[in-house]
Amino acid sequence: MVNYGFMTIYWRDMIRFVRFKTLLISSLIQPALWMAFFGIAMSASFDRLGASIPPIPGVPEVQYLTFMAAGVIAMTTLFTSLFGGIVLLFDKNWGLMREIMASPLPRDHIIFGIALSGMTKSFIQVMIVMIFGLLIGVSFFAGYTIAHTVVALLGIMLFVGMFSIGFLFFSAAISISMDTPEGLQGIITLLSMPIFFASNALYPVSAFPPVLQAISTVNPLSQLVNGVRYFAIGDNFTTMGIHYVYTPADILLSFTVLGIFAISMFGVAWWRFKSAVVT
Amino acid sequence: MSTSIIEVEGLEHQYGDFKAVNGISFTVGKGEIFSFLGPNGAGKSTAINILITLLKLQKGEACIAGYDVRTEAEKVRESIGIVFQEVTLDRDMTVWEILEFHGRLYGMTRPDRKERIAEILELVKLGGQKDMLVKKLSGGMKRRLEIGRGLMTRPIVLFLDEPTIGLDPQTRMRMWDYIRTVNDEGTTIFLTTHYMDEADNLSDRINIIDHGKIIASGKPWELKNELGQDLVYLETSDNPRARSIITDLVSISGVSDKGKGILITTNDDGTKILPLIIEEIRNSGISVITVNLKKPSMDDVFVHFTGRELRDDKPGKSPATFRRR
């Protein structure tokens, strides 16, 4: 018999997600605000710089706003996922974790349940960012047929899903190991900075110093951004005078890196949960 | 005892250098209300946490409902219900959601859950609060909800860890009635408490536990009988001398110092012995200042066995100083 125990954890976390209205609304509005303020402000200056560089004939040129929209999607997914496990820490402190730990539910189901609900939240947010983006002039799916758009959307969600699951496993692992939300917040803030800025989310990495370039190449966030750009913009475009070409092999590699990341993070979470004692 | 539901042999548990549970053995029979009575930090919660599989069994053997706690933790979990010492409810879920969540955690089917939730709500009288958020419930309602939740899966044993901590006297009484009802329906109950009256009122068998060991065990009246029939408390002008005089009298089973006076345990009717005691003391030129005669209470039993009192732990006081062990 297949055990759907993780759906219990999922169901309860989703109840909380829709119950706290302020949290729900702010988590949906925040990424849109990034697009609106940072995106529009930066694209005004970046596009002016880019205009001085002669375009490559035959290669479509993409506005900065469109370029960075993929980054905002990645960023939103990153932050939501990093904080996705925090409910476990609250449960540990407020006692509910004892009920769960003393129940027959296998511990890996706690991890899967939390990952699944975190992933769902990311999907919802990504949809909102894309819709909002399209409204303010992001040219995603430009010239796509309906079938192509559907495939592109599925591809994006596949990348978002794999990426978020990795960071949710990670978040669950540290949440079950930490004692205070402050400690967890500290670790997450410390990590989110380099992950976010040493990536190709907001700007091209070609101008980075070599060490930073190396970091950004293996950075899971860069893999996600690659995937989103490939599916939403295309495999061949220029932006700010830089030529981007993605081959299917590149994209498969990026996805594989995300897969390996998720599997190893699950290993970490599994190890932390196995040894967790909650009394 | 025809069938035993819990069998524990030589249980020990250590936190670093500190031995919280130091070799306890006992059996609990089917349908019993079995209690651990002891001060905070005596090892009650540690013992219960081992039995409910939240803590790893370090040393000893433990069997619940025929399943080995060490090797068949999952089976044990399916057979027991737990009401934890602290509130373990999500304040932002409704009463129904709390029960539904629990039923799902334990793998109950949808029709089963539906039927059981209706029954439980009826039983703990929370039908009217079904869709209310937990944070809007009173302390007594929360406790009732937790007990109801513990019963949802029809457990063979219900573990109650300090079930009435922080509740007002009236709610405690009702909670006791409620626990008795549950027991009458056939659920074996394992209770830990540091309230004398609670242990005395509810238990079929009390185990006084201190420093990780069971130091006395028996039915409440048996434990009290150990102290003799009556207790006499005396304050005199010369306690040490009075003490030596009394020790030699007939029908006296024990004399000890207590506060500003002496405590005498008798093994005959105290109303007849007391005049004799007073006469003897007066004849020796010692004056009697205060006299008190009473039947032994659970407090006296506790003092007798542990050599100290649990004064600070009266019900209704804030549990702020309470620490889990």
Side-chain angles (χ1 to χ4, degrees), chain A residues 138-172:
Chain A
V138 169
S139 50
F140 270 7
F141 317 122
Y144 285 17
T145 60
I146 289 178
H148 191 174
T149 308
V150 170
V151 170
L153 269 175
L154 287 176
I156 290 170
M157 290 310 176
L158 211 59
F159 265 82
V160 167
M162 190 54 95
F163 174 88
S164 69
I165 253 181
F167 277 97
L168 282 156
F169 288 154
F170 174 72
S171 175

Side-chain angles (χ1 to χ4, degrees), chain A residues 7-9 11-12 15-16 19-20 91 94-96 98-107 277-279, chain B residues 49 54-55 74 77-78 82 84 86-88 90 92-94 96-97 100-102 104-106 133 149 324:
Chain A
M7 285 306 290
T8 306
I9 304 291
W11 169 72
R12 185 243 169 184
I15 286 181
R16 289 175 62 91
R19 181 145 298 155
F20 303 117
D91 284 348
W94 304 128
L96 200 73
R98 307 186 75 205
E99 184 201 1
I100 300 172
M101 290 293 216
S103 80
L105 184 81
R107 290 191 175 183
V277 175
V278 179
T279 62
Chain B
N49 279 332
L54 274 183
L55 275 179
E74 199 164 321
R77 290 171 181 196
E78 283 169 7
I82 310 161
F84 294 104
E86 305 85 5
V87 176
T88 55
D90 185 338
D92 298 299
M93 282 165 85
T94 68
W96 177 83
E97 283 163 356
E100 172 77 4
F101 179 68
H102 191 75
R104 286 188 182 203
L105 269 187
Y106 281 74
L133 287 179
R149 180 176 69 181
R324 187 180 355 121

Side-chain angles (χ1 to χ4, degrees), chain B residues 30-78:
Chain B
K30 191 169 167 28
E32 254 194 308
I33 300 185
F34 182 93
S35 69
F36 268 3
L37 171 68
N40 303 327
K44 300 179 307 260
S45 288
T46 303
I48 221 172
N49 279 332
I50 297 168
L51 293 182
I52 64 177
T53 72
L54 274 183
L55 275 179
K56 207 173 149 77
L57 197 155
Q58 291 177 346
K59 202 170 167 201
E61 299 298 325
C63 222
I64 294 178
Y67 300 113
D68 191 329
V69 169
R70 195 196 305 269
T71 55
E72 298 168 293
E74 199 164 321
K75 288 284 184 195
V76 170
R77 290 171 181 196
E78 283 169 7

